[in-house]
Amino acid sequence: MRKSWVVIRREFLERVRTKWFLVGTVLGPVLMALLIFLPAVMVSRSGAERAIAVMDVTTSEFGQRVTEVLDERGRLQATRMQVEAAALETTADSLAQAVGRKEIDGFLIVTDQTVEDGRAEYRGSNATAQIEMEMLQHFLGQALLTERLNQVGVDPQLVAHANSVRLDMRTVTIRGGEATEQSGEATFMLAYFMWFLLYMAILLYGVQVLGAVVEEKTTRIVEVLVSSLRPFELLMGKVLGVGAVGLFQLSIWAVTARLLLTQRDVIGRMLGLEGPAQAFPLPEVPVSTIVVLLIYFVLGFFLYAALFAAVAAMSSTEAEARQAQAPVTIFFVIPSVLSLMAMLTEPDGALFVALSYIPFSSPISMPLRWVVSDVPIHELIGSIALLMLGLLLITWIAGRIYRVGILMYGKRPSPKEVWRWVRAS
Amino acid sequence: MSDQLAVELLGVTKRFAGHTAVRDLDLMIPTGSVYGLLGPNGAGKTTTIRMIMAIIAPDVGSVRLFGQAKRGRELSQRIGYLPEERGLYRKMKVIDLLVFMAQIKGVSGRHAKKSAVEWLELLGLSDWVEKKVDDLSKGMQQKVQFISTLQHEPDLVILDEPFAGLDPVNTQVMKDVIVELTRRGTTTLFSTHIMEQAEKLCDSICIIARGAKVVDGSLRDVKREHGGSHVVVAVEEGVESVADILDDRSLVSKADNYGQYAELELVDGADAQRLLHGLVSSGATVTRFEIAEPTLNKIFIDLVGPDAATPRAEEVPNNA
């Protein structure tokens, strides 16, 4: 046991000391922070101080109305310019120069044509800013509607009343028979994020175990090691060591994600942002979700790490191991993708429930179910128990393959031979 | 008796799928000796060593180390093992690697570090303590591997083909190390298929072929028993002038005539002095008359035959 500890320590320290670990650990939270704050930064930078000119070539009051609507409701500074149709191009040129000198951000051209067939034109330096253009279009459309209703003689007050309503539909997730504060979109974001995290972490760290086993085998260090400790102790040390690195990294990510989300207003203010402006709804990450995530990562990682170790032990070279890992990887990818699809199509369907019980898919499926739907606690415990049972069986088989395989060189064993290794006493 | 044996194998047999790697092998390695396990490739040397190290278990028979029935793993602190194929963790720092290799054998971290630094100094690698293994030349990596085998001051050192792939400088380092270890009372067991090295270093040997023992014992006894009498003769007039004496089949069983000198093998029990007397009384001027010990190589080829090597079969246990 003490010797397993030496192996665990080596695996952990050697991996944590690498540049990749540092880069990965720091990059995770940085990307999350960007995801959370970048839209807010962009909105606060753009929204406030856009100055545009409204080039009014109309003969009606439409130009005037557009300018008022934009100025009042559109977080814009809009200035109207009355222009004769004949002078349109020369004025446009001089306004373009003004945009070039950054005196204004752009200008909107409205003509009598606009009222008739809805055609308008905006030229500006921010023409590619999706949100701003949508806003401009929205208010222009409102002004247009008002103008046309006025033309057919509808009471202006009635029009103003109709226009004053804004549609705002909220989506709310129901859990445990109660509505949560969480929007459906945010729940989906969190589930998708967790899927990605688990998928990457189990696969990446599982493959690291594969690499570690092959390294020891090709360098024959394994012979010296198994003359000092039992093959199973060695295998356990490796899996626990690599797993500890994964758990460490994942915990750092999970905790920083939670901190970033719960403290985002505080951090936002520190960054000089006004209000929680965000491009999409952000989820809350309850502690229970983090715990479920970590439990399933650990168990799922152990399961696949054991399989990867067995596959590595059967191979004599790195190239061979890379080939041999493909079946295990496919074995992992297919249930993972199925889980994601089941979640998207039928979060309460039988397939999703079944996947959350099968030990090969539950490490991914159950955390997703936990986030998107209401999982009774006994189902969670049942799934964990099944996974542990599967883990014991797989580890037992993998350990036996590993024990014989690490000392074998030469051609790849046939399935029949591998079965004989498993049965060998 | 057995407390004077560092290693004792009794009736050890190991079968792999398709063939028997080691068959009913008895091995007695006296404490403090330098013991050579000799045999052609595929004779079962590595399998025997792996069983001594408890890396694999024999199907039949027993392995005792230091007179105890304990398994090799429990005694790993008293054993240093250099496998046939070499390798180290390439990305590790030299010092971290050595400390790890010592700790895995049960040495405490602090003690391991101290002795690793001493060894690195001894073998001229002081400047490389904090370097990664990858940055070392192949020769330096070999030295690091010696250190990893010997740093915990084992009582028994087991070296599988220790000279394979070594450059001349490191071959000398390795030999010096073995001599020094013997002086300190360490038991050394090494396997080789190169007889010249065994002849220089060993005091006892065991020759195995096709998994079975051919001969064992002290080098002197083996030579005496299996050597026969070898005589090298040169005469001033040329060997041809005494051809009739060399053809005497009651005295000489085989003569290799090289013109300037001849190598003779005497008939069993024949007296070399009678041959010398015959030569002198024939009037020839004898310039060289040497009763030579046979080389181990010759004994080996005589006993095992030139085609003793068997292809290495796959080592799959069939004791399912």
Side-chain angles (χ1 to χ4, degrees):
Chain A
M1 230 23 249
R2 205 165 71 94
K3 289 174 178 174
S4 287
W5 175 242
V6 175
V7 176
I8 294 173
R9 230 178 55 121
R10 193 196 83 85
E11 290 296 336
F12 185 82
L13 289 179
E14 287 298 312
R15 269 160 226 287
V16 169
R17 277 179 196 156
T18 57
K19 260 183 249 121
W20 289 117
F21 180 79
L22 190 73
V23 169
T25 310
V26 173
L27 217 55
V30 167
L31 284 178
M32 279 185 273
L34 282 182
L35 213 60
I36 294 170
F37 294 112
L38 203 58
V41 170
M42 304 224 305
V43 169
S44 73
R45 267 237 321 254
S46 59
E49 289 303 320
R50 290 286 188 211
I52 68 165
V54 177
M55 215 168 116
D56 185 4
V57 202
T58 59
T59 50
S60 63
E61 285 175 12
F62 179 56
Q64 179 67 37
R65 198 183 318 277
V66 169
T67 311
E68 277 166 18
V69 169
L70 287 178
D71 208 32
E72 280 164 27
R73 296 168 74 172
R75 299 175 79 185
L76 283 169
Q77 219 182 322
T79 325
R80 192 177 77 95
M81 289 179 74
Q82 184 84 48
V83 178
E84 293 297 317
L88 191 144
E89 279 312 317
T90 48
T91 318
D93 283 346
S94 61
L95 279 175
Q97 278 165 22
V99 172
R101 288 194 300 271
K102 296 195 192 304
E103 290 166 7
I104 54 171
D105 291 293
F107 55 97
L108 181 70
I109 307 170
V110 285
T111 60
D112 286 336
Q113 197 79 26
T114 310
V115 189
E116 269 163 46
D117 58 13
R119 264 191 297 182
E121 193 174 327
Y122 179 79
R123 302 179 191 174
S125 56
N126 60 337
T128 48
Q130 209 66 35
I131 298 171
E132 289 172 28
M133 290 308 108
E134 264 171 34
M135 194 174 70
L136 205 59
Q137 214 156 14
H138 173 77
F139 288 118
L140 190 57
Q142 218 172 56
L144 183 62
L145 190 70
T146 311
E147 179 68 19
R148 295 187 71 148
L149 289 172
N150 279 346
Q151 275 181 0
V152 293
V154 179
D155 182 2
Q157 272 190 327
L158 198 65
V159 175
H161 175 71
N163 261 335
S164 67
V165 177
R166 277 193 64 187
L167 178 68
D168 182 13
M169 187 183 95
R170 228 157 64 96
T171 50
V172 171
T173 312
I174 293 177
R175 299 197 52 174
E178 281 171 46
T180 61
E181 287 303 300
Q182 191 126 231
S183 74
E185 217 177 339
T187 305
F188 170 74
M189 284 282 308
L190 178 63
Y192 189 80
F193 181 68
M194 293 222 333
W195 180 84
F196 183 73
L197 212 58
L198 278 165
Y199 178 82
M200 293 298 286
I202 291 177
L203 203 56
L204 284 180
Y205 282 100
V207 170
Q208 289 215 21
V209 171
L210 177 101
V213 171
V214 172
E215 186 196 9
E216 279 176 4
K217 192 175 166 180
T218 53
T219 57
R220 310 307 208 259
I221 295 169
V222 72
E223 280 191 47
V224 180
L225 297 182
V226 296
S227 71
S228 301
L229 70 174
R230 298 208 339 267
F232 191 75
E233 290 176 308
L234 176 62
L235 177 61
M236 198 174 67
K238 300 202 87 58
V239 170
L240 287 179
V242 175
V245 180
L247 193 62
F248 182 48
Q249 190 166 54
L250 217 51
S251 304
I252 293 175
W253 287 348
V255 169
T256 42
R258 194 180 140 80
L259 275 178
L260 281 172
L261 289 173
T262 51
Q263 306 298 314
R264 64 174 176 269
D265 293 346
V266 178
I267 300 170
R269 269 198 296 282
M270 274 158 51
L271 291 173
L273 301 175
E274 291 163 31
Q278 51 207 43
F280 48 83
L282 289 169
E284 299 301 324
V285 186
V287 176
S288 66
T289 301
I290 292 183
V291 171
V292 168
L293 174 82
L294 294 183
I295 287 176
Y296 276 92
F297 164 72
V298 168
L299 295 178
F301 164 76
F302 282 170
L303 186 85
Y304 280 98
L307 286 176
F308 277 122
V311 162
M314 288 181 223
S315 320
S316 294
T317 61
E318 263 180 73
E320 233 180 272
R322 268 199 298 278
Q323 275 183 2
Q325 69 159 28
V328 180
T329 309
I330 290 169
F331 215 71
F332 174 68
V333 170
I334 288 175
S336 303
V337 173
L338 272 181
S339 304
L340 189 65
M341 279 168 20
M343 177 190 86
L344 292 176
T345 52
E346 248 188 306
D348 277 328
L351 176 66
F352 201 25
V353 175
L355 284 170
S356 71
Y357 275 110
I358 301 168
F360 290 106
S361 55
S362 65
I364 296 254
S365 258
M366 191 44 116
L368 294 196
R369 263 192 79 200
W370 180 260
V371 170
V372 298
S373 70
D374 186 31
V375 181
I377 197 79
H378 68 265
E379 283 194 20
L380 182 71
I381 291 168
S383 157
I384 290 177
L386 267 180
L387 179 52
M388 281 177 153
L389 222 63
L391 179 61
L392 278 179
L393 184 72
I394 292 291
T395 312
W396 183 80
I397 292 173
R400 294 187 145 241
I401 294 174
Y402 176 81
R403 191 191 55 176
V404 181
I406 45 172
L407 297 172
M408 294 294 157
Y409 298 96
K411 75 169 176 45
R412 262 238 302 275
S414 65
K416 216 179 100 194
E417 278 170 291
V418 172
W419 180 237
R420 203 163 53 211
W421 296 0
V422 174
R423 281 170 45 220
S425 60
Chain B
M1 182 63 201
S2 67
D3 58 353
Q4 285 171 20
L5 294 177
V7 181
E8 184 182 22
L9 267 65
L10 285 178
V12 165
T13 295
K14 182 73 190 177
R15 279 178 226 99
F16 292 120
H19 83 298
T20 306
V22 173
R23 188 180 303 123
D24 196 24
L25 182 67
D26 295 335
L27 213 59
M28 316 273 169
I29 301 178
T31 301
S33 66
V34 180
Y35 197 97
L37 185 60
L38 315 177
N41 290 331
K45 301 188 297 287
T46 295
T47 304
T48 305
I49 286 177
R50 283 181 174 180
M51 284 190 286
I52 295 172
M53 293 305 301
I55 294 170
I56 52 177
D59 298 330
V60 184
S62 69
V63 177
R64 288 167 75 84
L65 298 174
F66 311 113
Q68 301 172 41
K70 275 191 192 167
R71 304 254 300 173
R73 277 181 201 122
E74 294 159 56
L75 300 164
S76 62
Q77 197 166 355
R78 294 181 65 188
I79 305 173
Y81 170 49
L82 183 72
E84 181 178 4
E85 306 253 4
R86 308 299 148 68
L88 300 163
Y89 292 111
R90 298 200 315 271
K91 300 266 183 278
M92 273 183 104
K93 274 195 218 164
V94 171
I95 186 70
D96 291 344
L97 176 98
L98 288 174
V99 169
F100 170 73
M101 293 305 252
Q103 281 182 318
I104 213 77
K105 291 177 182 113
V107 180
S108 78
R110 200 182 311 136
H111 187 80
K113 189 159 186 177
K114 192 166 151 283
S115 87
V117 169
E118 281 169 15
W119 272 95
L120 287 167
E121 231 163 78
L122 192 70
L123 296 188
L125 293 174
S126 305
D127 294 340
W128 301 87
V129 175
E130 295 289 329
K131 293 282 193 324
K132 280 192 176 163
V133 172
D134 246 352
D135 298 335
L136 269 60
S137 72
K138 202 166 172 225
M140 289 192 272
Q141 291 187 17
Q142 288 172 348
K143 283 183 180 171
V144 170
Q145 194 148 22
F146 296 165
I147 297 174
S148 78
T149 310
L150 304 168
Q151 60 180 345
H152 56 295
E153 292 171 24
D155 300 323
L156 170 65
V157 175
I158 297 178
L159 312 167
D160 197 354
E161 296 281 355
F163 300 105
L166 293 198
D167 60 45
V169 176
N170 277 344
T171 304
Q172 194 54 48
V173 170
M174 191 78 225
K175 282 179 182 163
D176 292 348
V177 163
I178 291 175
V179 170
E180 171 62 18
L181 287 172
T182 314
R183 204 182 56 74
R184 283 197 231 160
T186 310
T187 309
T188 306
L189 162 65
F190 72 89
S191 74
T192 185
H193 62 278
I194 302 167
M195 298 303 140
E196 286 75 17
Q197 279 155 356
E199 191 153 22
K200 282 179 204 156
L201 287 165
C202 296
D203 44 45
S204 298
I205 58 156
C206 174
I207 296 178
I208 60 172
R210 297 185 190 91
K213 180 157 73 183
V214 178
V215 66
D216 69 344
S218 76
L219 190 61
R220 206 179 321 120
D221 291 348
V222 170
K223 281 193 171 183
R224 192 178 301 147
E225 242 174 87
H226 296 275
S229 312
H230 257 236
V231 176
V232 180
V233 169
V235 293
E236 209 170 79
E237 294 81 2
V239 180
E240 279 305 315
S241 66
V242 292
D244 53 331
I245 299 172
L246 303 188
D247 285 342
D248 180 356
R249 285 287 166 261
S250 71
L251 203 60
V252 178
S253 64
K254 196 175 157 219
D256 289 327
N257 189 347
Y258 297 108
Q260 293 307 307
Y261 70 97
E263 254 186 52
L264 311 176
E265 220 176 290
L266 299 191
V267 172
D268 272 352
D271 186 359
Q273 297 306 320
R274 204 154 70 83
L275 176 68
L276 179 60
H277 184 76
L279 286 170
V280 172
S281 47
S282 77
T285 316
V286 177
T287 53
R288 186 174 172 197
F289 189 88
E290 186 182 339
I291 300 173
E293 264 194 330
T295 59
L296 195 52
N297 201 36
K298 186 166 185 333
I299 296 173
F300 179 77
I301 288 173
D302 285 351
L303 291 175
V304 173
D307 58 343
T310 51
R312 176 168 293 197
E314 251 204 286
E315 299 185 344
V316 182
N318 64 347
N319 51 349

